[in-house]
Amino acid sequence: MDTFLQQLVNGLTLGCVYAVVALGYTMVYGIVQLINFAHGEVVMIGAMVAFSVITALAGSGMPPLAIVLLSLLAAIPACMLVGYTVERIAYRPLRNAPRLAPLITAIGVSIILQHVALLIWGRNYIAFPQIVRTESYVLTTSVNSATITNIQIAIIVLSVVMMAGLIALIYKTRIGIAMRATSQNAAVAGLMGINVNSVISFTFIIGAGLGAVAGVMVGSYYGIAYYQMGFLLGLKAFSAAVLGGIGNLGGAVLGGLLIGVIEAFGAGYMGDVTNVCTLNQFLPGFAAMCDANSNASLLGSNYKEVYAFVVLILVLRFRPSGLLGERVSDRA
Amino acid sequence: MTHYIDHILPAPLRKHPAVFWVGVVLIAAALAVMPFVLVSHSMTSWVRITNFAILFVFLSLGLNIVVGFAGLLDLGYIAFYAVGAYVYALLASPHFGLHLPFWVILPIGAAVACLFGVLLGAPTLKLRGDYLAIVTLGFGEIVRIFMNNLSEPINITNGPKGIATIDSIKLFGLDFGTTTRIGDFAMPGLIKYYYLLMFMLIIIIIINLRLQNSRIGRAWEAIREDELAARAMGINTINLKLLAFAMGASFGGLAGGVFAAIQGFISPESFTLTESVMILAMVVLGGMGNIWGVVVGALLLSFVPELLRYTVEPAQKALFGRQIIEAEVLRMLIFGFAMVAMMLFRPAGLLPSAVRKRELARKAD
Amino acid sequence: MNHPKTSYTLAFAALLAVGLVGCGKEEVKVEAPKVVVLVAEPSVTVKIGHAGPLTVKTPHLGKDDENGVALAIAQANDKKIKIGGKLVKFEMMSEDDQGDPKIGSTVAQKLIDAKVIAVIGHLNSGVAIPASEAYEKVGIPMISGSATNPTLTDRGLKNTFRTVARDDQQGPAIATYIASEIKAKKVSLIDDKTAYGEGLANEVEKTLKSARVNIVGRERTTDTETDFKSILTKIKAKNPDVIFHGGMDQTAGPMMKQARELGIKSIFVFGDGACTEEMFVKAQDAANGLVCSQAGLPSQAASTEFLASFKAKFGDVKQYAPYYYDATNAVIEAIKKADSVDPLKFGPELFNVSFTGATGKVEFDAKGDRKDAEVTIFKMADGKLMPVSIVKAGVATKFEMAAAPIAAPAVVAPVAAPPVAPATKPAEAPKK
């Protein structure tokens, strides 16, 4: 198992991104019980805005770190604005409508955002100019070794900082108390003098801000962005939020990390585990086929995308409250 | 027959059945002649577009059973279409060397799709609406990924290459894939498919109308409006939801089989999430639960993008000298805006069903 | 039973019918201005269709193809070709298939409706396959300059041709280069699970195996994936000399970058999908040293005459324009041979055409595939792709020699030479 440590590093980096995106889903769900389908698109817009800023400044001779910081400073407000607008236009009028209605507008908004991004940034994959030199560091233990890049370290550190900041916000500030009160019972919170509408707007804005940072992280990690990148990322992050227990911040983080690691290990090991050719000695009939075809895995790395969905279905089936969820999800 | 006509007729026409029949005959004649008019004007491609539009009507009506009648949001509906298409393709193409006749495969395809519907529904229907939506979305993706990957270690679906040279439909010795000539009168395959599809459409609409007003239909309506109350009234909600899923899936499977036969080639890229969303948009636009509304919604969203291709791009070139928005992007934007705007302003659809209208009206708090 | 929800029924139905018929009528109006009336002496105007993704997926390539067709048509018109005593004016009718099989078959029908005499296209194999069935039914020849999937011409159709090499010509050529020039002992393969990527990787694997090169691992991903670290980690443990990836530059770029980050030193080899200078934009410095192939002769090696005229009219060649140019000229040649613009008459003549086009000698075999298609191997240095070798009938030749004037390859290797067989020998030797 000499790849174990490396796969763990791969999985945790990916998991941190999922976790930050999952926080956005879980906060919104915790407060308005709405799956904000458009959250993945907010992440995409964050990446795209950052791309535009970095490309514009890449040749300016500014220090790379300053450029990255500026791109964050541009992406975060842009995404917050998108998050706020979407809530205001597409979700707020439907707050008392049947469940189906905001879900359908959410899908509609998601399509609109994707195609607006397409109009602005084009259809092709866009490549981030590499302004920060990638440095690889080798971690070695007695049996394992793994490389980790400076960007990966930055992603992990940034995620931890953001999660800590978010938890402090929710548990230590007045607006945090208001958010928790609203999520418990919006009507009563309103009676207590909390402006429920602004609390909900604030939640969307914070979620979108996190999404923007996640977008910049994904973009600079892979060096690639495109208008549909948010959708799958969003779905996986949503699965992470459900796995951890939707509405639970710690759960979203745990779920994100788990989904990341499950994907990395799934793609890394499932192919060998499910290789029917290892059954050669038991089932002689396979021998001929295995000689002809080196790829006799039932679940090779091609099934990587499936794991998050399978986890989602299994969790919803057997433990709808998720790993850390306190309240059992009300089954309507 | 009369009692049946009674409830599909609008009130004023119920009093004047003669007007109704004249209208029916005129419309039927117009629809029957239309493809020949199109072909004689060298617009055969519009016959093909119409055929696909009718297929989307099938799909929308199927999804309408799930979303409109039973109120369950299914975002992976295209999976059943895919299953039906693949069943047809596998049983009537050189891929496995099987060439079963159409009327044998179509029920098999519908049955397999139905089985998938039950397989998906049984474990998930207990979930609340929005969870169900996301699970079905995941299911749709899983089905597509498996279609794309089940070429190894044993080649079942032929993977991303798809399955080519699928048999055309043959009924009563009539091959729908070729042009039939009777003297000077030529009838291209596409027109034969058009008639077949129209025939199937009529049957499917009748089934849907009957279903809506049946015991089952009313039970679905009860579940949709208040599941708790429905259960209290002794309705077996789980079984009925499962039935909705299964029936919706069968319609999807049926449409998939016909699609495979008309197209002659299928590959997993025809069954993406975008298609699921598109069908949902058709149902939403027409009005969830309203059969005629859904038919109109599906036709609108099938034809409008085609018209856009003819008008928007040349218009932009003429106005601005270059293309600013591609018709394809515009089409998706229309889908998106239609879904948002419908929910905000006309939640019950362009042609709302009365019950749905009442139900989706915003509660005044 | 009085159901208010069923009101308006008839009105809709009527609306529907009017709508349907209306659509058709409206269409006449819109279509009308499209037919450009050319005032001319006793001449006949024929339309040649082109179809490809012009707005979606890979519009830059679709446009490039269209330009190739346009150039050939413009040149033919300049030559004032006479068929059956009448001057022939060619015009192009270009349609957008959006790279979607369903839209592709509708577009095919549209071209047939417009009575085109031949269709040059479609770009994607997945679209060309269903569309070709429609053309076959009416006997209109279709020539693609880019669809490489073998199925296209393996179905026994009489009117389907291509001017580009099949995957099972390109794949073995890449494998030949890996085995005989790179002299790799261990190779890992990755594909993106598309018809193109998987098909190409399968062909590479097959040939490498017959050359006794050790295949260590075959991984799969998707064409929209951006994270390859897990599969690359798995591959790294196997320490291959070469990693071949069947996919487009959008996956190949990040893949190479991530591989270098993981400290993988293997040489990366790609097919034509990732044989673009875009690779340098996507993977930056990591892209240098990559090896890739393009079916046919490189655009740099296309005949200088073609390149000059193309550049003057449309700028740089993106990728397949020379093949589309040759495809169009093949149709024109067949028309001349048959002395007829009737597709049913000149169609069969396509099997007999033989001329030197932009991409070398153009001849079709009985299936409609290009005879003896060349494959060019490129290497990236300082962000530029340089042709290094041309593989033909299983033999790799250094580019300098082969590059010389394009007319030279008239020394056609024996057609039936089993591909790769000769080249596999040298690779075998050092092994055992």
Side-chain angles (χ1 to χ4, degrees):
Chain A
M1 286 278 239
D2 55 352
T3 55
F4 182 80
L5 192 61
Q6 182 70 60
Q7 295 291 21
L8 195 64
V9 170
N10 299 340
L12 286 178
T13 319
L14 200 56
C16 280
V17 176
Y18 290 153
V20 175
V21 181
L23 284 173
Y25 277 104
T26 223
M27 278 171 57
V28 167
Y29 197 91
I31 288 198
V32 285
Q33 278 79 49
L34 164 77
I35 300 175
N36 180 12
F37 260 109
H39 189 58
E41 270 57 54
V42 171
V43 175
M44 174 269 295
I45 288 180
M48 292 297 205
V49 170
F51 161 80
S52 295
V53 173
I54 293 178
T55 314
L57 297 179
S60 68
M62 285 167 79
L65 221 55
I67 298 180
V68 174
L69 219 60
L70 275 177
S71 74
L72 272 174
L73 285 179
I76 292 173
C79 288
M80 285 179 164
L81 185 69
V82 172
Y84 173 77
T85 318
V86 166
E87 194 274 332
R88 193 73 189 72
I89 294 175
Y91 301 151
R92 188 178 297 180
L94 295 173
R95 206 169 288 154
N96 295 317
R99 247 168 210 295
L100 223 57
L103 211 54
I104 290 171
T105 49
I107 298 168
V109 166
S110 163
I111 296 175
I112 295 171
L113 289 180
Q114 273 187 25
H115 289 84
V116 168
L118 189 159
L119 287 176
I120 301 176
W121 287 283
R123 189 181 293 275
N124 294 332
Y125 280 52
I126 52 179
F128 275 61
Q130 196 167 23
I131 48 168
V132 182
R133 249 197 93 71
T134 313
E135 307 278 356
S136 295
Y137 307 98
V138 181
L139 308 171
T140 322
T141 67
S142 52
V143 281
N144 276 305
S145 82
T147 45
I148 185 165
T149 64
N150 48 355
I151 294 177
Q152 282 177 302
I153 295 171
I155 287 177
I156 294 171
V157 171
L158 195 60
S159 307
V160 172
V161 169
M162 280 197 307
M163 290 164 204
L166 187 67
I167 287 168
L169 176 86
I170 303 254
Y171 290 98
K172 300 282 181 207
T173 63
R174 283 183 67 85
I175 182 82
I177 295 170
M179 283 165 76
R180 280 183 291 149
T182 310
S183 83
Q184 294 272 325
N185 189 327
V188 175
L191 293 178
M192 297 292 139
I194 292 170
N195 184 341
V196 174
N197 274 343
S198 33
V199 168
I200 292 173
S201 286
F202 183 75
T203 309
F204 270 87
I205 289 173
I206 293 294
L210 291 173
V213 180
V216 179
M217 295 195 306
V218 180
S220 44
Y221 182 34
Y222 299 122
I224 287 276
Y226 70 110
Y227 76 103
Q228 283 179 321
M229 67 185 274
F231 198 81
L232 204 57
L233 180 69
L235 280 179
K236 288 177 179 174
F238 177 78
S239 308
V242 171
L243 172 61
I246 197 140
N248 182 313
L249 295 180
V253 175
L254 178 68
L257 294 177
L258 276 176
I259 293 274
V261 172
I262 288 170
E263 278 201 340
F265 284 177
Y269 295 120
M270 278 305 272
D272 293 340
V273 172
T274 58
N275 192 334
V276 287
C277 291
T278 54
L279 301 173
N280 255 348
Q281 55 268 52
F282 311 113
L283 296 162
F286 282 159
M289 189 181 80
C290 292
D291 284 343
N293 183 357
S294 62
N295 192 65
S297 299
L298 293 177
L299 293 171
S301 45
N302 35 339
Y303 288 97
K304 187 182 169 203
E305 312 289 1
V306 167
Y307 299 118
F309 295 126
V310 171
V311 167
L312 176 75
I313 293 177
L314 290 180
V315 171
L316 287 178
R317 177 74 187 90
F318 295 107
R319 199 183 157 84
S321 59
L323 295 176
L324 300 184
E326 297 121 36
R327 37 179 193 168
V328 176
S329 154
D330 46 328
R331 296 170 172 188
Chain B
M1 197 65 190
T2 36
H3 86 279
Y4 161 66
I5 285 169
D6 262 2
H7 58 243
I8 66 164
L9 275 189
L13 285 179
R14 232 169 278 151
K15 296 194 187 93
H16 304 284
V19 178
F20 167 76
W21 285 113
V22 170
V24 165
V25 169
L26 282 178
I27 293 169
L31 288 177
V33 173
M34 191 190 72
F36 288 101
V37 175
L38 288 174
V39 169
S40 64
H41 286 76
S42 279
M43 291 194 292
T44 316
S45 58
W46 282 94
V47 180
R48 182 178 275 273
I49 291 168
T50 310
N51 285 350
F52 281 125
I54 298 175
L55 269 182
F56 272 103
V57 176
F58 289 3
L59 286 172
S60 304
L61 286 173
L63 183 63
N64 184 45
I65 296 177
V66 185
V67 180
F69 291 174
L72 306 164
L73 188 52
D74 184 349
L75 293 179
Y77 188 67
I78 203 73
F80 306 122
Y81 184 56
V83 167
Y86 266 93
V87 167
Y88 187 93
L90 293 177
L91 297 180
S93 76
H95 182 56
F96 286 148
L98 290 171
H99 297 280
L100 300 184
F102 169 71
W103 46 268
V104 173
I105 309 173
L106 219 53
I108 298 178
V112 175
C114 172
L115 182 73
F116 269 75
V118 172
L119 279 180
L120 167 66
T124 55
L125 280 174
K126 274 187 246 158
L127 298 170
R128 214 174 37 195
D130 38 8
Y131 277 174
L132 180 71
I134 208 129
V135 167
T136 50
L137 194 158
F139 172 78
E141 282 297 283
I142 289 176
V143 166
R144 189 184 58 81
I145 294 171
F146 271 85
M147 300 277 172
N148 206 29
N149 287 316
L150 279 180
S151 51
E152 282 156 332
I154 299 153
N155 187 356
I156 301 170
T157 61
N158 211 22
K161 285 194 286 293
I163 300 174
T165 41
I166 301 169
D167 299 351
S168 52
I169 294 177
K170 292 182 191 71
L171 272 181
F172 315 116
L174 194 67
D175 186 347
F176 282 73
T178 56
T179 303
T180 306
R181 281 175 203 283
I182 306 163
D184 283 344
F185 176 77
M187 186 152 156
L190 278 176
I191 296 188
K192 280 184 273 182
Y193 275 122
Y194 170 82
Y195 287 127
L196 181 71
L197 286 166
M198 274 293 179
F199 176 70
M200 290 173 75
L201 180 65
I202 292 169
I203 293 180
I204 286 176
I205 290 179
I206 290 175
I207 293 177
N208 268 281
L209 288 169
R210 303 287 290 156
L211 200 59
Q212 188 175 30
N213 293 298
S214 66
R215 234 174 109 90
I216 297 170
R218 288 194 299 271
W220 280 334
E221 204 170 292
I223 293 173
R224 187 183 72 202
E225 301 204 353
D226 191 336
E227 185 163 349
L228 218 60
R231 204 175 328 167
M233 299 303 288
I235 293 173
N236 185 337
T237 55
I238 293 293
N239 278 3
L240 275 161
K241 283 185 189 178
L242 204 55
L243 185 67
F245 242 68
M247 292 201 67
S250 316
F251 278 111
L254 201 77
V258 180
F259 170 70
I262 298 184
Q263 182 74 349
F265 170 82
I266 56 164
S267 65
E269 62 180 333
S270 297
F271 309 106
T272 55
L273 182 70
T274 319
E275 308 277 321
S276 285
V277 172
M278 209 163 85
I279 301 166
L280 181 66
M282 290 169 177
V283 175
V284 169
L285 187 73
M288 292 176 280
N290 179 312
I291 292 166
W292 295 108
V294 168
V295 172
V296 172
L299 290 175
L300 264 182
L301 286 188
S302 301
F303 281 112
V304 168
E306 288 301 327
L307 288 176
L308 285 179
R309 279 158 63 94
Y310 283 99
T311 51
V312 171
E313 293 181 358
Q316 288 186 45
K317 283 205 179 94
L319 283 176
F320 312 111
R322 67 193 178 94
Q323 187 154 304
I324 296 167
I325 298 186
E326 301 151 1
E328 170 62 18
V329 176
L330 202 62
R331 179 178 84 121
M332 292 312 288
L333 283 174
I334 289 176
F335 283 157
F337 278 111
M339 285 163 97
V340 175
M342 293 307 290
M343 282 298 115
L344 290 180
F345 306 115
R346 268 188 93 88
L350 285 179
L351 306 165
S353 83
V355 184
R356 210 75 169 112
K357 199 173 183 175
R358 197 188 322 133
E359 186 193 338
L360 281 166
R362 254 164 274 154
K363 291 168 210 147
D365 269 16
Chain C
M1 248 174 105
N2 186 351
H3 261 271
K5 75 180 87 169
T6 52
S7 56
Y8 307 121
T9 307
L10 191 62
F12 305 152
L15 198 86
L16 183 89
V18 172
L20 289 181
V21 177
C23 291
K25 276 185 188 147
E26 199 166 335
E27 213 267 331
V28 187
K29 279 181 238 151
V30 187
E31 187 97 271
K34 268 193 173 168
V35 185
V36 184
V37 184
L38 290 165
V39 191
E41 348 77 81
S43 72
V44 49
T45 303
V46 296
K47 274 188 266 188
I48 295 185
H50 165 260
L54 300 175
T55 58
V56 189
K57 286 193 177 167
T58 50
H60 57 295
L61 296 184
K63 210 74 200 161
D64 190 43
D65 301 347
E66 189 188 276
N67 290 342
V69 177
L71 181 66
I73 286 181
Q75 291 180 351
N77 284 337
D78 287 348
K79 280 183 201 142
K80 308 231 180 292
I81 297 166
K82 281 209 163 112
I83 301 293
K86 278 190 201 148
L87 184 68
V88 178
K89 290 235 167 191
F90 295 98
E91 64 182 55
M92 175 172 71
M93 173 174 173
S94 187
E95 286 291 329
D96 179 16
D97 66 23
Q98 300 185 11
D100 176 327
K102 197 169 72 203
I103 295 172
S105 46
T106 303
V107 159
Q109 191 60 56
K110 218 162 157 188
L111 290 169
I112 295 168
D113 285 352
K115 305 208 163 46
V116 297
I117 55 159
V119 175
I120 315 297
H122 299 227
L123 190 140
N124 309 83
S125 300
V127 183
I129 291 169
S132 60
E133 308 245 349
Y135 301 130
E136 179 78 9
K137 269 179 204 153
V138 289
I140 293 178
M142 178 195 97
I143 311 185
S144 174
S146 54
T148 54
N149 193 316
T151 313
L152 180 64
T153 48
D154 280 353
R155 290 163 303 155
L157 303 186
K158 287 276 157 286
N159 292 296
T160 310
F161 301 83
R162 67 177 127 210
T163 49
V164 75
R166 295 155 55 104
D167 285 340
D168 49 8
Q169 290 170 318
Q170 192 187 168
I174 304 169
T176 303
Y177 188 81
I178 294 174
S180 65
E181 299 294 310
I182 302 180
K183 301 200 186 346
K185 303 271 187 307
K186 285 195 285 184
V187 177
S188 288
L189 300 141
I190 306 174
D191 72 67
D192 67 358
K193 259 293 171 185
T194 59
Y196 160 75
E198 189 191 49
L200 192 60
N202 283 346
E203 294 303 329
V204 172
E205 178 172 359
K206 221 187 281 169
T207 311
L208 284 177
K209 268 190 184 151
S210 65
R212 306 275 174 108
V213 175
N214 198 4
I215 305 288
V216 288
R218 172 88 191 248
E219 298 299 329
R220 261 73 205 255
T221 178
T222 69
D223 56 344
T224 54
E225 183 61 86
T226 47
D227 183 86
F228 306 99
K229 289 229 161 150
S230 335
I231 55 175
L232 287 169
T233 300
K234 203 172 157 190
I235 286 176
K236 189 188 176 189
K238 294 174 178 154
N239 197 21
D241 304 318
V242 163
I243 298 173
F244 174 81
H245 170 52
M248 308 302 283
D249 52 17
Q250 64 199 32
T251 49
M255 182 185 289
M256 266 193 99
K257 184 165 167 259
Q258 289 168 35
R260 299 303 180 224
E261 281 172 17
L262 285 171
I264 295 173
K265 304 268 188 303
S266 324
I267 298 172
F268 268 86
V269 182
F270 305 101
D272 55 352
C275 210
T276 61
E277 283 173 6
E278 188 64 19
M279 283 296 290
F280 189 71
V281 181
K282 299 220 157 87
Q284 280 110 10
D285 293 339
N288 282 329
L290 74 82
V291 171
C292 63
S293 75
Q294 276 182 18
L297 287 166
S299 60
Q300 291 97 317
S303 75
T304 43
E305 184 200 340
F306 164 79
L307 282 180
S309 356
F310 191 88
K311 201 172 174 115
K313 242 181 141 123
F314 308 107
D316 282 328
V317 170
K318 297 265 175 3
Q319 197 158 3
Y320 296 114
Y323 302 99
Y324 276 79
Y325 174 82
D326 281 354
T328 316
N329 279 328
V331 169
I332 294 166
E333 286 299 315
I335 289 174
K336 281 198 240 166
K337 259 184 183 302
D339 197 29
S340 163
V341 291
D342 180 356
L344 297 175
K345 295 220 175 73
F346 77 77
E349 285 298 330
L350 276 165
F351 290 102
N352 306 325
V353 295
S354 170
F355 64 97
T356 304
T359 60
K361 202 168 183 71
V362 180
E363 284 175 342
F364 298 106
D365 66 14
K367 279 181 178 172
D369 287 321
R370 179 89 175 261
K371 270 186 198 169
D372 254 336
E374 296 93 343
V375 172
T376 309
I377 308 290
F378 292 82
K379 204 168 193 167
M380 183 170 276
D382 297 325
K384 290 264 171 282
L385 283 174
M386 304 304 285
V388 290
S389 176
I390 287 178
V391 185
K392 186 166 180 171
V395 184
T397 330
K398 285 259 179 317
F399 180 64
E400 291 80 37
M401 300 185 319
I406 207 86
V411 203
V412 186
V415 182
V420 240
T424 55
K425 292 278 151 50
E428 221 171 309
K431 247 208 122 208
K432 293 218 163 175

